[in-house]
Amino acid sequence: MTNPPSDAPSDAPSDAPSDAPSDAIVFFGATGDLAYKQIFPALLGLVRDQGLHVPIIGVAKAGWSLDQLKARAADSLSQHASRQHGNGDAGATQRLMDLLRFVGGDYTDAATFTQLRSALGDAKRPLHYLAVPPSLFAAVAGGLAGSGCAADARLVIEKPFGHNRDTARALSRLLAQTFPEASIFRIDHYLGKEPVQNILYTRFANSMFEPIWNRDNIGSIQITMAEDFGVQDRGRFYDATGAIRDVVQNHMLQVLANLTMDPPTGEEHEAMRDQKAALLKAVRPLAPMDVVRGQYAGYQSVAGVRPGSSVETYVALRLFIETWRWAGVPIYIRAGKKLPATATEVTVHFKRPPRETFDEIVPANSGHMRIRISPDVTIAMGVRVKLHGERMIGEDVEMILTEQVADLMLPYQRLLWDAMRGLGELFGRDDIIDAQWRIIEPVLDDVTPVYRYAPGSWGPAEAEALIGPDGPWREPRLMAAKG
Ligand code: BG6
């Protein structure tokens, strides 16, 4: 790089990372589950849609060969890349295979990173993706630093980011020794989902929502993340994690933040994350009385689960935000495995009319906004309209604002593409992650009882008592049928 003439304005301190796009992708954990299910399909999408043509180096334990990695990638694509996301595009698949390289070795062995350095060739701005268990983060970060692979590099790091607030802070301190905050990309794949971004877009691209988006008009908010499958082959990981850490600390709180944060101010590129951080810092830390945990019957016989485990596979929560906008508005979140449906859906309930005007009692919650995040994508407004006839009585209808079968771009594809270009908005920032842990920390582990529930039910009955008169919980499957 040539130095600017001494009188020319310098736009960045010399030690700041450059904005140049990443010129190599390194992914640790290349033979693992995440690579198989998410990363190979995302890479195929990047090759096909974004014209990715940089070396892609898979790193994993010794004993694998490049040919084996390619076979694994091909298998992954046949299982996990849909036609819509690039599978069947033989040209793109071949280009991806041509870009793949392999480095094998132990993550605690400096020789692995020396090999990686030479595989990187003249790449100047590599992106390192740590798709490995958290217990290996420190070893990999240290290896990258010690070998020169970290210089001017970007680091993408998978969740869970820490096991609690203290360990998350310790991890941040460790990474900060090698990578500036602007070069760290903490993945929460929910942020790469189109409808999660559409929450912000719809709120802030229309002026009609902002005046009613507050405690005067909104009575409560519900978020349900239901999955009809169990913990599958992830027993060991899940039993050390539980639903609160697995999906509430990250995905659910990010959705909550998009729903409730203030509009960003100014043009500064951190404006969006600043508002998100401010909102999350204002959420009242959970108290035991605001939490119901459940575990589906049969969980304890899953391989990897400890006998007598009290880890939750279901949680229902009531949250409050301590701001003038949201004071007193309960926000209910429930997330669970082995429920009757697989769907993630948000409902914002508007308050009832202050008095009945007609010959009927308007049902609570008929006025609402419904945002379905998966598997299909919908934004709908629920309103009450008059039924034809002499009487002034009505029915609840929904106006569908947008509807799509599914997300067109894979979340991991979108996020990796952003990270390669240094765009951090769709990633967790140090203070955001810390605020998320602060909210859930008081109810982690065995602070509250865990109730058994039958697979295929909507979780323990105690969750009904939690929502009380703000209920019932809305069932995503039934609303979809209606919508
Ligand atoms: C992951 C969790 O982060 O998100 C899983 O570890 C969960 O337990 C998954 O099933 C859900 O993601 P999606 O995109 O399928 O809703």
Side-chain angles (χ1 to χ4, degrees):
M1 201 189 282
T2 46
N3 288 328
S6 56
D7 57 344
S10 160
D11 53 3
S14 58
D15 59 346
S18 76
D19 286 339
S22 294
D23 48 6
I25 296 179
V26 179
F27 64 114
F28 292 84
T31 57
D33 202 49
L34 187 75
Y36 186 73
K37 290 187 179 148
Q38 305 284 0
I39 302 177
F40 289 119
L43 290 171
L44 177 63
L46 285 170
V47 169
R48 188 191 64 163
D49 304 334
Q50 277 80 32
L52 183 78
H53 60 272
V54 302
I56 302 172
I57 307 171
V59 186
K61 58 183 176 298
W64 276 62
S65 66
L66 177 58
D67 283 344
Q68 278 173 298
L69 186 72
K70 287 185 180 178
R72 173 92 169 159
D75 196 40
S76 146
L77 298 178
S78 71
Q79 296 295 316
H80 294 289
S82 61
R83 186 159 293 279
Q84 170 195 13
H85 294 125
N87 198 18
D89 184 334
T93 305
Q94 189 52 52
R95 291 197 297 284
L96 170 61
M97 296 298 169
D98 292 345
L99 294 170
L100 280 180
R101 314 272 184 276
F102 180 69
V103 168
D106 195 303
Y107 296 147
T108 55
D109 183 356
T112 309
F113 295 89
T114 315
Q115 247 195 89
L116 174 61
R117 188 50 265 178
S118 70
L120 280 169
D122 55 7
K124 295 191 173 44
R125 194 77 169 103
L127 175 137
H128 300 293
Y129 184 169
L130 272 53
V132 292
S135 54
L136 297 172
F137 289 167
V140 177
L144 290 172
S147 57
C149 294
D152 232 10
R154 299 189 169 102
L155 184 78
V156 175
I157 192 154
E158 261 302 323
K159 75 179 247 294
F161 195 85
H163 191 65
N164 52 33
R165 200 175 185 194
D166 277 352
T167 50
R169 286 179 166 184
L171 179 56
S172 267
R173 281 195 299 272
L174 177 103
L175 299 180
Q177 291 169 10
T178 310
F179 297 93
E181 177 63 27
S183 297
I184 301 176
F185 299 83
R186 298 169 186 84
I187 286 219
D188 178 331
H189 80 280
Y190 259 59
L191 289 177
K193 289 182 185 253
E194 178 77 19
V196 174
Q197 290 187 54
N198 210 344
I199 296 174
L200 282 180
Y201 186 86
T202 307
R203 285 189 57 205
F204 300 145
N206 297 287
S207 60
M208 67 200 230
F209 293 116
E210 188 54 13
I212 58 169
W213 215 250
N214 55 43
R215 66 193 305 276
D216 298 331
N217 301 284
I218 292 178
S220 67
I221 297 178
Q222 285 189 27
I223 310 173
T224 291
M225 177 183 179
E227 295 178 315
D228 65 4
F229 48 89
V231 299
Q232 298 169 318
D233 54 0
R234 300 164 75 217
R236 208 157 74 87
F237 159 79
Y238 201 87
D239 206 49
T241 307
I244 301 180
R245 287 187 175 91
D246 187 37
V247 298
V248 175
Q249 187 271 344
N250 33 68
H251 309 330
M252 295 295 95
L253 291 180
Q254 287 287 346
V255 171
L256 167 79
N258 279 8
L259 280 167
T260 53
M261 63 187 251
D262 281 355
T265 54
E267 303 296 325
E268 205 267 325
H269 76 286
E270 285 293 336
M272 202 64 103
R273 288 202 292 186
D274 288 347
Q275 292 294 19
K276 188 174 277 190
L279 183 283
L280 289 165
K281 286 175 195 171
V283 176
R284 190 194 296 168
L286 282 160
M289 62 180 289
D290 293 320
V291 178
V292 173
R293 293 191 309 133
Q295 185 188 86
Y296 65 79
Y299 169 73
Q300 304 208 2
S301 38
V302 174
V305 171
R306 293 158 301 164
S309 166
S310 57
V311 161
E312 76 284 351
T313 59
Y314 169 100
V315 68
L317 307 168
R318 178 176 47 214
L319 286 158
F320 290 95
I321 302 172
E322 303 287 6
T323 60
W324 277 36
R325 186 199 280 264
W326 293 115
V329 179
I331 296 159
Y332 297 95
I333 296 178
R334 66 175 170 168
K337 306 242 181 233
K338 290 259 187 197
L339 300 187
T342 298
T344 300
E345 194 158 79
V346 172
T347 326
V348 176
H349 294 294
F350 295 106
K351 287 187 170 169
R352 293 165 43 80
R355 61 177 288 272
E356 300 301 345
T357 307
F358 306 108
D359 297 341
E360 64 171 358
I361 299 191
V362 171
N365 300 337
S366 29
H368 66 259
M369 183 170 191
R370 178 169 71 89
I371 302 160
R372 190 171 176 99
I373 291 171
S374 70
D376 48 322
V377 178
T378 304
I379 301 184
M381 294 296 301
V383 290
R384 189 130 180 108
V385 294
K386 185 182 168 304
L387 277 170
H388 184 77
E390 284 178 26
R391 293 184 59 200
M392 293 293 270
I393 55 171
E395 64 173 339
D396 291 342
V397 296
E398 266 199 347
M399 180 167 60
I400 307 282
L401 306 182
T402 182
E403 205 168 27
Q404 288 156 29
V405 179
D407 221 336
L408 292 176
M409 196 193 285
L410 291 167
Y412 276 89
Q413 178 182 344
R414 183 191 305 262
L415 294 175
L416 275 176
W417 183 233
D418 273 12
M420 286 188 74
R421 293 174 296 155
L423 306 175
E425 193 173 299
L426 298 182
F427 294 86
R429 205 172 61 181
D430 191 29
D431 56 343
I432 291 178
I433 303 279
D434 189 60
Q436 290 171 327
W437 280 117
R438 175 183 156 276
I439 297 166
I440 64 163
E441 181 118 289
V443 295
L444 287 176
D445 304 321
D446 286 332
V447 172
T448 58
V450 65
Y451 302 102
R452 202 74 68 231
Y453 62 96
S457 72
W458 279 106
E462 285 76 6
E464 297 304 329
L466 180 77
I467 199 164
D470 292 320
W473 291 98
R474 290 178 80 110
E475 295 183 8
R477 188 182 45 185
L478 301 183
M479 290 203 303
K482 203 172 127 195

